[in-house]
Amino acid sequence: MTILLRNISNASVPTSPSPEMMSFMNLVLGIFILVSLLVGTVSNGLFLWVMWVKMKRTVNTLWFSHLIFTYLLFCTFLPFFAIYSFFGFHWVFGTVACKLIISLFSLTMFTTVFLLTVISLDRYLLICHPFWSQHHRTIPQAQRFVAGVWLCSLVLSVPYMAFQETRAMESGRTKCASNFAFSSDWDKPEAQALRHRVHVALFVVRFLLAFLLPFLIIMSCHCRMVWEMKKRRLARNRKPFWVLVAAVASFFICWIPYHLYHGSTTHWESFRTTRQALRVAMAVGECFNFCFTPILYLFIGEKFQQVFKTSILALLKRGFMDIPIIPMDNVNVNEAGHQSCSISSLELKISCGNNRPSP
């Protein structure tokens, strides 16, 4: 009876999706990637052009211009992933493309999270240590930090250039995979053991440096900023603050499936259905973060109807301007209901008129 019930259970609950279902999922995923390519290229390219050509160069625009450049760089290799999905995850571009594309993908991932961390730290120093920021927060200094971010990301991406190879599978497909053992015999027990150890080590390093530690730093900065604003009764332009919150939240929410998927490849070999679902969620999250998040910059902190009445340049200027931190006690409201102030303190040195949106 026990054997019969077990057989009935195994027959009624499939262990993996059918080939027809997988083909449909691959088709839908490939179409979504192509749509993301179109949206991401247009939006990121337009935003980058506006920030580099139309807007005044400031520390804040420098941070976000490089952040959006990483988004645009990600879009350049989306066609490869779309074709990879259409072919049922059969890699047809060769070993060199496999190494190059995965390395560039790693470069954009590390650069994005490092830039978000630097932006959060910069915002923290601007609010909590204004004296220090006034003397050290300069464009040349910010450029050095940006160069350091790209250099660190490049160093962390080099191992993927070495490890990535193409592997011929028994089904006749070719897979772009990591050969952590540098062995041509993929099924050799010694090579599999070494490959597993190196894989786990790299996963832990990537999870710590590209997710957990930046998340803790960013959350600490934001909590301290909110506490400082309430303590000192500081007013702020809300749009730049919410643009940063949207960028950070989008990154961490969209990249959770990525780390769960790669964590599953180290220990959850038996859960094929879970891994396949995580792979789809990972691709959707990555595309949304790099291609659709910049569109949120226009809508965040704005009334929906106002977005369509205001130029993109004005919306981006309000979103990426350096935040003027103003004590609430010094903020007056004029007859029209707009805030106005005049401050000559050593700490802030801000002089502002009516807070009207740019035309």
Side-chain angles (χ1 to χ4, degrees):
M1 179 62 71
T2 303
I3 297 176
L4 177 61
L5 290 175
R6 186 180 302 150
N7 291 335
I8 293 175
S9 177
N10 291 337
S12 61
V13 181
T15 57
S16 61
S18 64
E20 294 79 8
M21 179 60 70
M22 288 304 301
S23 299
F24 176 74
M25 290 174 59
N26 294 339
L27 176 63
V28 172
L29 181 60
I31 294 175
F32 176 77
I33 293 175
L34 290 180
V35 172
S36 301
L37 169 66
L38 177 62
V39 174
T41 303
V42 173
S43 61
N44 290 316
L46 177 61
F47 289 2
L48 196 61
W49 178 78
V50 170
M51 295 183 70
W52 278 359
V53 177
K54 296 294 184 178
M55 294 180 64
K56 180 181 178 181
R57 185 61 56 89
T58 64
V59 173
N60 210 42
T61 57
L62 180 66
W63 301 136
F64 278 97
S65 63
H66 281 268
L67 182 65
I68 293 178
F69 177 74
T70 62
Y71 294 168
L72 189 62
L73 181 61
F74 176 83
C75 295
T76 59
F77 45 81
L78 277 181
F80 297 93
F81 289 143
I83 296 174
Y84 193 35
S85 180
F86 284 139
F87 285 6
F89 296 97
H90 170 57
W91 188 261
V92 297
F93 303 107
T95 303
V96 175
C98 174
K99 290 177 175 291
L100 182 61
I101 292 173
I102 300 301
S103 299
L104 285 175
F105 173 82
S106 176
L107 177 67
T108 58
M109 177 186 67
F110 282 114
T111 303
T112 300
V113 68
F114 290 165
L115 282 174
L116 290 174
T117 306
V118 170
I119 294 172
S120 298
L121 288 170
D122 173 69
R123 199 64 54 85
Y124 161 77
L125 292 173
L126 184 63
I127 293 175
C128 300
H129 302 280
F131 287 109
W132 187 93
S133 297
Q134 183 180 2
H135 295 91
H136 297 87
R137 191 175 182 269
T138 61
I139 292 180
Q141 188 72 15
Q143 289 173 336
R144 286 190 283 269
F145 273 102
V146 169
V149 164
W150 282 100
L151 180 60
C152 291
S153 301
L154 182 62
V155 171
L156 292 171
S157 303
V158 167
Y160 298 95
M161 179 70 74
F163 289 131
Q164 288 300 129
E165 291 184 4
T166 53
R167 176 187 180 186
M169 308 296 291
E170 295 180 356
S171 59
R173 298 177 180 178
T174 301
K175 183 179 179 182
C176 177
S178 299
N179 185 4
F180 296 112
F182 292 113
S183 174
S184 58
D185 188 357
W186 290 77
D187 299 321
K188 188 177 179 181
E190 293 81 1
Q192 287 185 346
L194 177 59
R195 188 177 296 113
H196 178 75
R197 289 195 296 270
V198 177
H199 186 190
V200 172
L202 283 180
F203 167 75
V204 171
V205 171
R206 181 173 54 201
F207 178 74
L208 290 176
L209 295 182
F211 193 84
L212 183 59
L213 293 180
F215 177 76
L216 295 176
I217 293 173
I218 290 172
M219 289 302 298
S220 299
C221 290
H222 280 71
C223 291
R224 180 60 190 277
M225 283 189 290
V226 172
W227 182 82
E228 190 71 20
M229 287 177 180
K230 291 182 178 180
K231 175 185 175 182
R232 294 166 54 190
R233 293 178 53 81
L234 298 178
R236 65 179 183 274
N237 185 340
R238 291 183 177 273
K239 187 174 177 66
F241 179 81
W242 286 113
V243 163
L244 177 57
V245 171
V248 172
S250 173
F251 178 86
F252 287 107
I253 293 174
C254 293
W255 284 88
I256 286 177
Y258 173 85
H259 294 285
L260 288 177
Y261 172 77
H262 285 280
S264 70
T265 60
T266 61
H267 293 96
W268 301 349
E269 293 292 338
S270 58
F271 296 92
R272 290 188 58 193
T273 304
T274 302
R275 288 180 56 191
Q276 290 164 350
L278 285 174
R279 182 168 60 183
V280 174
M282 174 184 68
V284 172
E286 292 166 0
C287 290
F288 185 87
N289 179 73
F290 285 108
C291 301
F292 293 95
T293 297
I295 299 178
L296 297 178
Y297 299 161
L298 297 180
F299 291 88
I300 196 76
E302 301 283 350
K303 293 182 179 180
F304 184 79
Q305 300 88 344
Q306 189 67 25
V307 173
F308 300 97
K309 299 178 182 178
T310 310
S311 67
I312 293 179
L313 176 59
L315 291 173
L316 290 181
K317 281 184 176 180
R318 289 208 293 264
F320 299 126
M321 65 183 293
D322 281 331
I323 303 179
I325 303 300
I326 305 168
M328 289 183 176
D329 295 337
N330 295 319
V331 177
N332 299 319
V333 180
N334 57 23
E335 296 178 356
H338 299 291
Q339 292 180 347
S340 62
C341 62
S342 179
I343 301 176
S344 59
S345 65
L346 176 63
E347 177 179 346
L348 300 175
K349 294 184 178 179
I350 298 174
S351 177
C352 59
N354 291 340
N355 188 19
R356 296 189 180 94
S358 302

